[in-house]
Amino acid sequence: MTCAISCHIFRCCQNLPPACYLPPRRYSMLRRCNYSIKRLILASALPLMLLLSTSTVHAADLVVSAAASLTNAFKDLGQAFEAQNPDTKVILNFAASDVLLQQIIKGAPADVFASADQEAMNKAEAEKAVLAASRKNFANNQIVLIVPADSQLRIQQLQDLAQPAVKRVAYGNPASVPVGRYTKAALEHANLWDVVAAKGVPAQNVRQSLDYVARGEVDAGFVFSTDAAIMPDKVKVALHVPSQTAVSYPIAVTSNTRQADMAAKFVAYVLSPAGQATLARYGFLKP
């Protein structure tokens, strides 16, 4: 069964060139590559394929596909849910929201979908990939601009990104990453998108953008405040970025789930006081 699942995901992307299997991480290589969303789908699908191929998938396993920014919080939520439901194992799959959606549409196993913005969930509804009646908003977040912890740059407003000293800026790819869409909207509102895009280092998800800044490979990067909080020794927040829309997270049961009741139970747990307390501990705001 696991082999069939893995093969199905692979067949969805088998028409892609071999170069997409190992997306370059360094800035110099990134600038020469223009990734399509299909390539991102395969790159993020591989961890799920490996996970499912090395473990036995049981009927009681609950696959939760969640935005990359939810990684730490949902690991705790998954463990707490398993403690309350010992016959159920929560399998977590993290990636950019649009990439997760495409996996689900292509037939990858998923019982719950948690997105980092409303646009990805709207697409999920339009594609009938989720049960619309199960859709709930469960958390809010904020966009911040971060710099390496030892940075000497003085960035006090978005306009400071135009200064020559700022040469590389990381942000999520707006075509497939919610934090990238929020970032682009904020920069367009400030008439700075073209300026920053010329220095841009697009990331496959928000955690990759965080990683670029933490390793000092870029001068600054846009991430969620919850992501910045997990590396206080390596990055620092230069400024909070005003968002043109609320940075809200929706969650829903998928249409192809084989255990709708348990999936709905997980959604309910995320919305429960205990679930909300866990999210708050990681810096998420109430919806």
Side-chain angles (χ1 to χ4, degrees), residues 95-283:
S97 298
D98 289 45
V99 172
L100 294 173
L101 173 58
Q102 289 303 315
Q103 290 178 6
I104 295 170
I105 291 174
K106 297 295 185 181
D111 301 293
V112 176
F113 174 44
S115 168
D117 75 347
Q118 299 296 329
E119 183 172 329
M121 190 61 77
N122 290 342
K123 293 176 183 176
E125 277 200 40
E127 293 286 344
K128 300 187 186 305
V130 297
L131 302 177
S134 69
R135 178 176 178 173
K136 305 289 182 183
N137 292 335
F138 68 94
N140 279 12
N141 214 331
Q142 294 179 309
I143 305 298
V144 296
L145 180 71
I146 58 173
V147 296
D150 59 356
S151 174
Q152 300 301 311
L153 289 173
R154 291 180 58 83
I155 300 179
Q156 299 178 324
Q157 56 184 348
L158 287 175
Q159 286 72 14
D160 291 336
L161 292 174
Q163 59 183 295
V166 179
K167 302 183 183 303
R168 298 180 296 275
V169 181
Y171 52 77
N173 183 348
S176 58
V177 185
V179 72
R181 289 194 281 268
Y182 291 123
T183 297
K184 183 177 181 181
L187 291 172
E188 285 181 335
H189 185 73
N191 295 317
L192 289 169
W193 171 245
D194 290 340
V195 172
V196 175
K199 306 177 179 185
V201 181
Q204 294 181 15
N205 56 61
V206 69
R207 290 300 173 91
Q208 189 175 63
S209 183
L210 173 67
D211 192 42
Y212 286 144
V213 179
R215 294 185 306 188
E217 294 187 353
V218 297
D219 300 302
F222 290 89
V223 300
F224 293 119
S225 63
T226 51
D227 297 294
I230 68 174
M231 289 189 176
D233 58 328
K234 294 184 178 180
V235 304
K236 58 185 177 182
V237 175
L239 58 91
H240 286 76
V241 180
S243 178
Q244 305 312 301
T245 58
V247 182
S248 59
Y249 287 61
I251 189 170
V253 177
T254 63
S255 299
N256 64 356
T257 180
R258 295 184 178 180
Q259 45 182 338
D261 290 343
M262 188 57 68
K265 192 173 182 179
F266 182 85
V267 171
Y269 180 72
V270 172
L271 293 165
S272 72
Q276 290 293 297
T278 297
L279 288 163
R281 191 166 67 249
Y282 285 95

Side-chain angles (χ1 to χ4, degrees), residues 19 35-36 53 65 93 108 201 251 256 260 270 275 277 285:
Y35 292 117
S36 68
S53 64
S65 289
N93 177 35
V201 181
I251 189 170
N256 64 356
V270 172
L285 308 173

Side-chain angles (χ1 to χ4, degrees), residues 63-117:
V63 180
V64 177
S65 289
S69 56
L70 294 166
T71 299
N72 300 72
F74 265 48
K75 284 181 178 178
D76 278 8
L77 288 171
Q79 291 176 359
F81 187 79
E82 287 178 345
Q84 293 187 6
N85 302 273
D87 292 332
T88 297
K89 178 177 176 57
V90 177
I91 298 176
L92 297 166
N93 177 35
F94 300 107
S97 298
D98 289 45
V99 172
L100 294 173
L101 173 58
Q102 289 303 315
Q103 290 178 6
I104 295 170
I105 291 174
K106 297 295 185 181
D111 301 293
V112 176
F113 174 44
S115 168
D117 75 347

Side-chain angles (χ1 to χ4, degrees), residues 10-93:
F10 181 77
R11 283 198 302 271
C12 294
C13 305
Q14 64 181 355
N15 61 325
L16 303 178
C20 72
Y21 296 160
L22 294 174
R25 294 172 62 84
R26 306 297 294 183
Y27 167 75
S28 60
M29 298 179 72
L30 272 169
R31 294 291 290 173
R32 295 196 295 270
C33 297
N34 180 21
Y35 292 117
S36 68
I37 191 168
K38 286 187 177 180
R39 294 179 179 183
L40 293 177
I41 294 168
L42 179 60
S44 64
L46 288 175
L48 179 59
M49 290 165 58
L50 291 173
L51 173 65
L52 293 176
S53 64
T54 56
S55 63
T56 303
V57 177
H58 301 285
D61 287 348
L62 191 74
V63 180
V64 177
S65 289
S69 56
L70 294 166
T71 299
N72 300 72
F74 265 48
K75 284 181 178 178
D76 278 8
L77 288 171
Q79 291 176 359
F81 187 79
E82 287 178 345
Q84 293 187 6
N85 302 273
D87 292 332
T88 297
K89 178 177 176 57
V90 177
I91 298 176
L92 297 166
N93 177 35

